[in-house]
Structure formats: C-alpha cells, structure tokens
Amino acid sequence: MTIAIIGAGIAGAACAARLTQQGHQVVVFDKGRSAGGRMSSKRTEQGYLDLGAQYFTARSEAFRAQCAKWLQAGTISRWNGRLAVFDDSGLHPSPDNTARYIGQPAMQAPVVQLLGNISLHCNCPVDQLQFDGNHWQLFSKGIALGSFSQLVLAIPQQQARQLLQPFLPQSARLTTLFAATALLPCWAVNIQLEQPLLPYDAVFVKNHSISWLARQASKSGRCSAEHWLLHFSPAFSAQHLEASTEAIAEQAVIALQQISGQPINAVTTLCHRWRYAQQAPQYPVSGAVYLPDLALGLAGDWLNGGRVENAWLSGVQLAAELVL
Amino acid sequence: MTIAIIGAGIAGAACAARLTQQGHQVVVFDKGRSAGGRMSSKRTEQGYLDLGAQYFTARSEAFRAQCAKWLQAGTISRWNGRLAVFDDSGLHPSPDNTARYIGQPAMQAPVVQLLGNISLHCNCPVDQLQFDGNHWQLFSKGIALGSFSQLVLAIPQQQARQLLQPFLPQSARLTTLFAATALLPCWAVNIQLEQPLLPYDAVFVKNHSISWLARQASKSGRCSAEHWLLHFSPAFSAQHLEASTEAIAEQAVIALQQISGQPINAVTTLCHRWRYAQQAPQYPVSGAVYLPDLALGLAGDWLNGGRVENAWLSGVQLAAELVL
C-alpha cells in the first residue's frame, strides 16, 4: 500500500510513523519549509522562539508512554514554568502539578523524531487532487507528485475542505465535517524587552484580548534574551484577522502594560497570524475519519478536540483504521 | 518547463535557485534528512559538528559576489582559524591571508538559503528513472514521484552512474564521464577531548594517514567543547573503506598523538565514512554537462575540479545551459 500524507504536523507524523512501522510506503507532503506545523519554533538569529504550540500535556496512557520515550531520548523536556493567572482581580500565582512538556531544542523535535527517515516533501503545497476510484494523484503548481493507493489529510479543517471541494458531492460525511468551523484564528506576537517583566514565566489571561503570555527564556533551548510571547484570544484574533502587523503589535504592547502594570519599551516585535489555530469549543469530536470508498483519511487536532496530544491520538487512530 | 533535481547539495541548490529565478517549476529530491549534502554539519546534543566540508573559499568573481550576499545576510561568516602545517619537520604555524568561510550556524546554511521556498523532497532516495523521449519519471522504493520535462543529477559521480546505467548505451558522453573515478572516499573522525590539544585551530597534515585536523570550537555556531575533527587521506580511506568504526577511531587517536606529541584521552569518538568525498586529481574538469537529447543535466564538484565553490559554479553553469 502506498500512502500520501498531506501535512507534517504531529497528527500526520504520528500517522506516518505507525504506517511505516507496519511496512507501508509513505510519503509526507507539507507546504512549509520543514516539518512541525503549528509545533514549529521559529529560528531567529537570537535562537528559537515558540510562536505556535506553547507546551503539551499527556492525559492518555498511550501518549504518556510516547512522552516517556521522548523524555528518555532527550527529544522533549519538562517545562517547569512559574505560572500565574491574570483575571478581574489582577495578577496572582497559579502553581499546579500538571506535567508540561516542550520539544528540545525546539518544539518540532517530537514531530521530526516521528518522521525519522520517512520520505518528506517540503515547500510543497498540494493544490490539486485527482481520484480515479483506485488511486489518488497529487499535484503542486501543475507538477504531478505521484500516485498513491490511500490519501491522508492531516491539515487544518479549512485547508482540507478547500482540497476536497470537488469530492464533497460524493460524501455526505465530508460535507458534514466541513459544515461548521473547527479551528479559530490566533494572532501571536513576540516582544523583546530590555528588562525582566514579571516574576512569572507564563500567565493564563482571562476575559481579555490576550489569552496567554509566556517568557521564551523559561524554556530550555529557546532565546535566552527577554522575549515574551502573547497569544490573542480567538475572538480578538477573528475580529482583527486582516489588521496590519503594526496595529497588532501596538495592541500587544498595550496588553502587556495592562497585565504587568509597567510601561513597556519593546526592543523588537514579531507578529505571526495563525489562520487556523485553536479549537472551536462546540465542534464535535470524532477522533479521526476514514472513508474507505474514497481511500481517504482525515486526522488532526480539529477532529479530536484540539491540543497536541489529541492530534497525535488522531493520527495514531487513523493509521489503525487505514490498515484494518 | 518542469525540472527534477536529484541532490540537495550546493550544486543542486545553486542550479535550483537559478532555474526558479527564471520562472521554471523545480522539485529537488534528496536521500538525506535535510538539504546540505557534504556541507551538512551534524547536529548533536552538544551542538553542531562539521564532519564534511570544513570551510570554503571564493576565487571567482561570481562566487565572491554570492559570498558577499551571504555575509551580509549572516548566512556565512569568515573563519579565522589559526592554521598550522604538520610535515616531516613537525608542527609549525602556517598563517595566510586566504578568506575562509563557514555556514552559520551550520555549514549547510548557504544551501538552505539557496533552496528558499523551492519544493524539496527529503528522505527520498530516487532509485529508478524512466525516460520516454519527452519526460522523465522518477521512482523511490516503487513510488512514482512525478513526471518532469528535464532531469538534473547533482549527486556524486558513482551515484549518478548507478541511476543512469540503463541509459549509458544511448550516450557515449555519459559512458566517458563514468569511465574514470572522480571522487575518492574520506573517513572522518570527531574526537572529544577533556583538555585543549594544540595552540592552533586547524592543521594541514602532509605525508600521513591524516590530511586535516580542526578544532570545532574555533568555528562560530559549532560545539564549544574541545572537539577535534580528523579527515583521513584519500589513500588511507580507500584502503580501509570497510574497516570497523572502532578500528578507524583507534587510528585517529594514534594520529592525534603523533601530531600533538601528547597522550590522548578521548571522551567520545564519532566516525563518519564519506564514500564519495574528495576529488581525484586526474579526473578531467568539464564544468557541467547538458545532454539535450536526453533532457538530462549533470552538475557537481566532481565535474568541476572539486571544492564547494566549483560545485556552486557547476550548478549555476548547468542552469544557464539548460535554459538556452
């Protein structure tokens, strides 16, 4: 069986690793420059910055076992950030016992580990699909990328919908999956400061345009200078999706002043817009989806309730269904 | 025109960059996990180690201009290693004014820069080619990788010969190119020491089983601990091509003792065998080769006298010939 997987995030990589272990021929395609998806840390001259996934946790037995292996191999480490909450009563400490993990030296390390020696086609936005009833043909900018007996889409819902548009009439299930929006946007802003900001490493922000704040240097492997990452809330991000990066950076500085109670002098700001980032709370959880008639599988956080762990579980589940 | 380039070393990347600038659709394939070829630094838990290309120089106007751009962008830096020679009269300083460059933070940085957003298929050993007179079909482990109007091989001579074996009867030129051996092997050994070894950063070794010795920490971006890289001579490497890594590591320690005049306590040793590494002095220089009847181009250091600069020039020359 030859299987094309579109999307080299944690879901696609987990699916690819399982299928390869079972002896199948797998090729992974990704539009990005390297594997990782939303788990990619951005490489800068000063070091890595986490702009997407900030950490991950392990609640299921299966993912705990996977994390234990990654810890053993140095692929991930535990992140013991000093946590706080900012809410209507202000900023206050909020320690807990949850084990939080980060990739080492960058967030994508576990994705890269899963992919291992699996064939990976980067900078390759698949933009056209053909299915003749037996095989999928993939195309990127007019170039044929080969023929496969199964196709897995491990990309955000909206990108999967666009690729599968021609096939929706053939599948009521697909139409249902794409009816409601699964993933909401997220503006991320990284602000470099001259001085330490807070006696915390991360802040869960409530009832605010910001939802999260973290000090990059609290994470081993990342920039050691004073960089703070802000995630805007889904509501704010959706409302300001087309705003300029300058306007978003300005809002980020204002938010940082409100939360810290200090004037902020940003040395540098770096904005990144994730169009499809955070799970919409009402979107139903289906784990993974396999449609045998179309020789088509779908996996990803958006099908499984969001979060890194659920993306991994979705990829693993799809691999099992595919080879039944 | 759709062009497949096999090999994501500096020659393939230079060719890909030029062809892309001219508006052609290019896909690059490489058997390795990422781009760089022999210019890849190895990533270890302690940092990057240069096991292949050690530095490069720029003699031609064209490559000097390219290096000036890379310097400006921080893609490369000058390496001001303190140089020595070890010959029959022992170890003595050998400073010169040659500008030597290294990729930042790792040797492959200029290759990665050239590839930019060009479609790159990693972990993808192309092992079968079909040509119908108009299009090349590429295959890896039985998977069809697409159809292209031109094919470029930017891989070592011996690997190109193996892929092109079925086409040799059609081309006397190909047969001639593959008659003599262009690239000789090179055993590389990295030895970590507890103590500083020499008051130099690199040693050109004459009349010895070793040909080169360099201190990794003298290169910005690499491991800061006391790591020394040894390259064995082509003659020794060829003679001991199938030796165990243990035997090679032992020889490396002995050589280090001879050259330094000190007992060596290796903390760790890491061996890498480059099967096709260094230019055979007698192999003729042809720049690059383009065969219009076969819609086939060949580029690489092996066609252009060895060295990083000549690999780049070969790729650039081939791109120009291809689009004539």
Side-chain angles (χ1 to χ4, degrees):
Chain A
M1 198 153 68
T2 60
I3 304 159
I5 298 181
I6 303 178
I10 185 89
C15 188
R18 290 292 167 114
L19 291 169
T20 302
Q21 278 165 17
Q22 288 157 11
H24 300 290
Q25 293 285 350
V26 174
V27 181
V28 181
F29 299 87
D30 198 278
K31 69 185 177 69
R33 196 176 280 201
S34 51
R38 279 166 281 157
M39 284 182 76
S40 299
S41 302
K42 184 178 176 65
R43 173 159 225 145
T44 72
E45 287 199 0
Q46 291 184 52
Y48 284 115
L49 296 174
D50 289 349
L51 303 183
Q54 294 291 299
Y55 62 83
F56 52 93
T57 56
R59 301 174 188 172
S60 65
E61 278 306 309
F63 194 58
R64 281 187 188 185
Q66 172 66 83
C67 287
K69 282 185 205 161
W70 283 333
L71 278 169
Q72 182 83 26
T75 308
I76 65 173
S77 68
R78 210 168 143 167
W79 173 53
N80 296 310
R82 297 163 298 166
L83 302 179
V85 164
F86 181 82
D87 57 19
D88 299 339
S89 65
L91 188 65
H92 44 90
S94 175
D96 66 29
N97 294 321
T98 305
R100 293 180 172 84
Y101 302 107
I102 55 175
Q104 284 303 341
M107 201 60 87
Q108 64 268 26
V111 179
V112 172
Q113 187 280 322
L114 286 169
L115 288 172
N117 293 320
I118 296 169
S119 183
L120 171 66
H121 198 151
C122 297
N123 288 330
C124 185
V126 176
D127 49 27
Q128 196 196 336
L129 298 173
Q130 289 176 5
F131 182 59
D132 67 4
N134 281 305
H135 285 86
W136 285 95
Q137 294 266 2
L138 280 62
F139 299 85
S140 178
K141 300 173 189 165
I143 292 187
L145 300 168
S147 171
F148 301 86
S149 53
Q150 301 279 336
L151 173 64
V152 168
L153 298 192
I155 51 180
Q157 181 206 36
Q158 290 89 333
Q159 292 165 353
R161 172 164 47 194
Q162 191 170 347
L163 264 179
L164 292 174
Q165 202 70 48
F167 307 96
L168 296 194
Q170 298 172 46
S171 169
R173 184 75 195 280
L174 281 183
T175 306
T176 309
L177 281 175
F178 295 141
T181 297
L183 291 173
L184 306 174
C186 177
W187 270 108
V189 181
N190 187 83
I191 299 183
Q192 183 182 0
L193 303 175
E194 277 174 352
Q195 302 291 334
L197 182 73
L198 295 174
Y200 303 108
D201 295 319
V203 184
F204 294 97
V205 184
K206 311 288 183 190
N207 310 320
H208 200 279
S209 60
I210 296 290
S211 61
W212 169 259
L213 197 60
R215 192 171 68 92
Q216 300 279 6
S218 69
K219 298 174 175 179
S220 154
R222 277 61 170 183
C223 268
S224 54
E226 191 73 5
H227 288 268
W228 284 82
L229 183 281
L230 289 79
H231 275 166
F232 280 94
S233 71
F236 178 95
S237 300
Q239 200 182 337
H240 299 86
L241 193 61
E242 304 302 334
S244 68
T245 53
E246 291 78 9
I248 295 296
E250 199 178 312
Q251 289 299 314
V253 168
I254 291 169
L256 217 50
Q257 281 170 347
Q258 290 170 347
I259 294 165
S260 69
Q262 298 172 27
I264 297 295
N265 286 308
V267 182
T268 64
T269 57
L270 173 69
C271 295
H272 185 86
R273 179 178 60 189
W274 300 99
R275 274 189 185 276
Y276 313 115
Q278 319 180 57
Q279 190 73 1
Q282 295 83 5
Y283 191 81
V285 171
S286 49
V289 171
Y290 181 55
L291 305 171
D293 292 351
L294 279 170
L296 173 68
L298 295 102
D301 57 339
W302 66 277
L303 285 163
N304 207 20
R307 300 175 53 243
V308 169
E309 175 176 19
N310 287 331
W312 181 88
L313 286 166
S314 177
V316 167
Q317 180 183 328
L318 179 60
E321 291 183 23
L322 249 164
V323 297
L324 272 186
Chain B
M1 198 154 65
T2 60
I3 303 160
I5 298 181
I6 303 178
I10 185 89
C15 189
R18 290 292 167 114
L19 291 169
T20 302
Q21 278 165 17
Q22 288 157 12
H24 300 290
Q25 292 286 349
V26 174
V27 181
V28 181
F29 299 87
D30 198 278
K31 69 185 177 68
R33 196 175 281 202
S34 52
R38 279 167 280 157
M39 284 181 76
S40 299
S41 302
K42 183 178 176 66
R43 173 159 225 145
T44 72
E45 287 199 359
Q46 291 184 52
Y48 284 115
L49 295 174
D50 290 348
L51 303 183
Q54 294 291 298
Y55 62 83
F56 52 94
T57 56
R59 301 174 189 172
S60 65
E61 278 307 309
F63 194 58
R64 281 187 188 186
Q66 172 67 84
C67 287
K69 282 185 205 161
W70 283 334
L71 278 169
Q72 182 83 26
T75 308
I76 66 173
S77 68
R78 211 168 144 168
W79 174 52
N80 297 309
R82 297 163 298 166
L83 301 179
V85 164
F86 181 81
D87 57 18
D88 298 339
S89 65
L91 188 65
H92 43 90
S94 175
D96 65 29
N97 293 323
T98 306
R100 294 181 172 83
Y101 302 107
I102 55 175
Q104 283 303 340
M107 200 60 87
Q108 64 269 24
V111 179
V112 172
Q113 188 280 322
L114 286 169
L115 288 172
N117 293 320
I118 296 169
S119 183
L120 171 66
H121 198 150
C122 297
N123 289 330
C124 185
V126 176
D127 49 27
Q128 196 196 336
L129 298 173
Q130 288 176 6
F131 182 59
D132 66 4
N134 281 305
H135 285 86
W136 285 95
Q137 294 267 1
L138 280 62
F139 299 86
S140 178
K141 300 174 189 166
I143 292 186
L145 300 168
S147 172
F148 300 86
S149 53
Q150 301 279 336
L151 173 64
V152 168
L153 298 192
I155 51 180
Q157 181 205 36
Q158 290 89 334
Q159 292 166 353
R161 172 163 49 194
Q162 191 170 347
L163 264 179
L164 292 175
Q165 202 70 47
F167 307 96
L168 296 194
Q170 298 172 46
S171 169
R173 183 75 195 279
L174 280 182
T175 307
T176 308
L177 281 174
F178 294 141
T181 296
L183 291 173
L184 305 174
C186 177
W187 269 108
V189 182
N190 186 83
I191 299 183
Q192 183 182 1
L193 303 176
E194 278 174 351
Q195 302 292 333
L197 182 73
L198 295 174
Y200 303 108
D201 295 319
V203 183
F204 294 98
V205 183
K206 311 288 183 189
N207 311 319
H208 199 280
S209 60
I210 297 289
S211 61
W212 170 259
L213 197 61
R215 192 170 68 91
Q216 301 278 6
S218 69
K219 298 174 175 178
S220 155
R222 277 62 170 182
C223 267
S224 54
E226 191 72 5
H227 288 268
W228 284 82
L229 184 282
L230 289 79
H231 275 165
F232 280 94
S233 71
F236 178 95
S237 300
Q239 200 182 339
H240 299 86
L241 193 61
E242 304 301 334
S244 67
T245 53
E246 291 78 8
I248 295 296
E250 200 177 312
Q251 289 299 313
V253 168
I254 291 169
L256 218 50
Q257 281 170 348
Q258 290 171 348
I259 294 165
S260 69
Q262 298 172 28
I264 297 295
N265 286 309
V267 182
T268 63
T269 58
L270 173 69
C271 295
H272 185 86
R273 179 178 61 190
W274 300 99
R275 275 189 184 276
Y276 314 114
Q278 320 179 57
Q279 190 73 1
Q282 295 83 5
Y283 191 81
V285 171
S286 48
V289 171
Y290 181 55
L291 305 171
D293 292 351
L294 278 170
L296 174 68
L298 294 103
D301 58 339
W302 66 277
L303 285 163
N304 208 21
R307 301 174 53 243
V308 168
E309 174 177 19
N310 287 331
W312 181 87
L313 286 166
S314 176
V316 166
Q317 180 183 329
L318 180 59
E321 291 182 24
L322 249 165
V323 297
L324 272 185

